[in-house]
Amino acid sequence: MPQFLNTADTDFESRFAAFLTTKREDAPDVDAAVAAIIADVRKRGDASVTELTERFDRLALTPDTLAFSEAEIDAECARVPEAERRALEQAAERIRAYHVRQMPEDAQWTDPEGAVLGWRWTPVAAAGLYVPGGLASYPSSVLMNAIPARVAGVERLVVTVPTPDGVVNPLVLLAARIAGVDTVYRIGGAQAIAALAYGTQTIAPVDKITGPGNAYVAAAKRRVFGKVGIDMIAGPSEILVIADADNDPDWIAVDLLSQAEHDESAQSILITPDAAFGQAVAEAVEKRLETLERRAIAGPSWRDFGAVITVRDLDEAAALSDRIAPEHLELCVADTDALSAKIRHAGAIFLGKWTPEAIGDYVGGPNHVLPTARSARFSSGLSVLDFLKRTTLARMSPGALAAIGPAAETLAKSESLEAHGLSVRARLDRLNEETS
Amino acid sequence: MPQFLNTADTDFESRFAAFLTTKREDAPDVDAAVAAIIADVRKRGDASVTELTERFDRLALTPDTLAFSEAEIDAECARVPEAERRALEQAAERIRAYHVRQMPEDAQWTDPEGAVLGWRWTPVAAAGLYVPGGLASYPSSVLMNAIPARVAGVERLVVTVPTPDGVVNPLVLLAARIAGVDTVYRIGGAQAIAALAYGTQTIAPVDKITGPGNAYVAAAKRRVFGKVGIDMIAGPSEILVIADADNDPDWIAVDLLSQAEHDESAQSILITPDAAFGQAVAEAVEKRLETLERRAIAGPSWRDFGAVITVRDLDEAAALSDRIAPEHLELCVADTDALSAKIRHAGAIFLGKWTPEAIGDYVGGPNHVLPTARSARFSSGLSVLDFLKRTTLARMSPGALAAIGPAAETLAKSESLEAHGLSVRARLDRLNEETS
């Protein structure tokens, strides 16, 4: 049974605090194994990657077959039914249209002292997108990772996707093609992350790695962070729905289940000002769970980590929501804008009852790679910015140097960095000579 | 002696490749020690932090004296000479003026299907800035970390700075005050990072930790990444100067030394189209090293990791620069804009001979916290964005849902995520009922 909490209960604060810190995932400690895999790939390159792929994925590859050929991709793409192809294309178009608007502006200005200041953005040269194999091999994730990279202007864009026993999801290859991925390697695990970060004889290294993965992939990303850029380490999915009684309990129930079905560690929470409505939603969840295909996953998720929280009013709901800092937040209330304005920490907000979270997973436009495990307090969903970096620019005129150089010299001396000061002083002395 | 390379030499490519991969720092493996410290701080809070501070900094604190009192800060600030106070204030004002321009815009629009899409930026609630103790306790770093946080709108801003044997740099406290820091804790090392990330009885946890530190601090930041946000893991400083023969060799020499003096592992590189000029700069460096206060640091840095690279032309210089991806890049050539336009990977560019890098360390305006160790390929200097996060927004109208919902349903089915599809289908069915 999910937890039923009520802010009016005297033990609410302690129960909510305990709820917030409930550990949902026992991440196995695979760090030593991952360190060994990375070291081996760095040392032996392709030979290591192919051996590990044979061991973990039961797939014999050679350097020539690490990547899918164009003909193989053609053949797989041809297997995709027309409706799915059209849906992927519609999704890609909408995701692209949203992300194009994220392109930041360069800037340049001259300040009152005559210094020209500014910055400019440039794309990373090469990016690698990790796509999980098996059940969680989602074509939508390929779009969500690859399209922002392409919009940013990344030149070389590769995907790694493990194909255990050689089984591949044709939709993943089609999504990669639609998104403009250059090469798809049929490798996975820590060995794929190592190959992307350090390169092998066949696989050129990339500058940035994004995409979700299992504990091995997460540990490997953490280890190569610094050598390359990485995106966040994603945890199990979460949804928080704030809904008043003017909603169909069944709609809210399926919305909650749409995250619960991802993973037994996923978390679905309803906050409502109406306890009876909360009860009705919980009943609707149970009813849906009777027939849901993934009830063996969604059921434990809902019962172990789900919650229905009754609040006095929507201000309380907003405050609790910020403490949860949910990955996905649905606002199903009369005045969604007023409630939204009170929310500060959330990865994505879905406004109004016609916006189920699943729209955002596929075709809404915003990215579905979002901060989990309360990290919306300090991080954002994937965006074009993740594939760009900023170079700052500064040009002093002689006048600007005369105006601000002395302060730099003073501070350099105070930090005992003599050469810093001398580099300014040498120029100031020249200016003084010239003007005297 | 620094390396002298020339792109015209037949062995240039192999020598340059070896130069690029030279390991400058042997990071000691302190991960196990750091893990134990973090676990202890999580378990015992203040008691752990004070014990570790007594052990490592020879300083006995109580929970009441973990933070400097206002009176203590007043007293320390009063010791700062007027010239240094004015220099700090001028620096702070210029840094603030630059960073204010980085504030990103929120966005909202209605797309052709009638969906309202957008995003908004919000600050993290609390940030902690790590300031090293001892020699590298730089007030300029306090400004560079704290001011972007304040500009972003961070509400609670704290500093940790170790004070071994109770010794504090008054300029660090003054910089913290000028930048608007709320609290300064006299703690350091992994225990400070653990206290910031997890909180203790006295120290409330923060959401984001930035600032440089030693191997223990770096390992601790890596470990708490995910629980809180962190900035980059900074390595030893670097400068690349591209200069033609129309420069004073001594100016370029002190510019190179201004990074070399930071750290024996720092790296200073000159690229020039004129071999004789390169030789002249190398001689000027040696001359300056005879008297430089920090010659015991700058000398080994220059001799072990410095380089003078002669190129055929500035196009070659730009290409090599991008392979180095320098933290700091000075362009001292006739047409700096033309050369700058060819550069893609650099943390900060200093344009023209009146712009020594040291200006950027203190008073230029742009941030001096910049990507090192070739990470300018994929990351940016510290900015206001590091203290903000973006929430995406989506609102479907019934018409928009009718237009794009079916594609979402199709893709959900293809990913075997039934509840995702049902959450869309339930609403589409209602729309169909209403219109039939």
Side-chain angles (χ1 to χ4, degrees), chain A residues 240-242 247 252 255 328-343 346 348-360 366, chain B residues 107-109 114-120 391-398 400-401 427:
Chain A
L240 167 61
V241 181
I242 302 178
N247 280 280
I252 305 301
D255 293 356
H328 305 103
L329 174 60
E330 274 187 26
L331 304 184
C332 300
V333 299
D335 191 345
T336 52
D337 286 341
L339 180 53
S340 172
K342 290 174 188 150
I343 303 288
I349 301 182
F350 303 89
L351 296 149
K353 63 183 172 186
W354 298 104
T355 318
E357 184 279 329
I359 283 291
Chain B
Q108 185 172 307
W109 65 93
V116 179
L117 301 172
W119 63 76
R120 68 167 180 241
T391 299
T392 61
L393 303 166
R395 174 198 298 281
M396 298 299 123
S397 62
L401 189 71
R427 288 152 168 105

Side-chain angles (χ1 to χ4, degrees), chain A residues 98 118 120 155 207 248 255 258 261 293 336 340 344 346 353 377 381 391 395 418 420 427 430, chain B residues 98 118 120 155 207 248 255 258 261 293 336 340 344 346 353 377 390-391 395 418 420 427 430:
Chain A
Y98 182 93
R120 69 167 180 244
E155 282 152 27
D207 304 299
D248 185 329
D255 293 356
S258 74
E261 74 175 345
E293 286 166 14
T336 52
S340 172
R344 182 154 151 191
K353 63 183 172 186
R377 293 175 295 122
T391 298
R395 175 199 298 281
E418 187 195 17
H420 284 65
R427 287 153 168 104
R430 182 75 48 91
Chain B
Y98 183 94
R120 68 167 180 241
E155 281 154 27
D207 303 298
D248 185 330
D255 292 357
S258 75
E261 75 175 345
E293 285 167 14
T336 50
S340 172
R344 182 155 152 191
K353 63 183 173 187
R377 293 175 295 122
R390 193 183 48 245
T391 299
R395 174 198 298 281
E418 187 195 17
H420 284 65
R427 288 152 168 105
R430 181 75 49 90

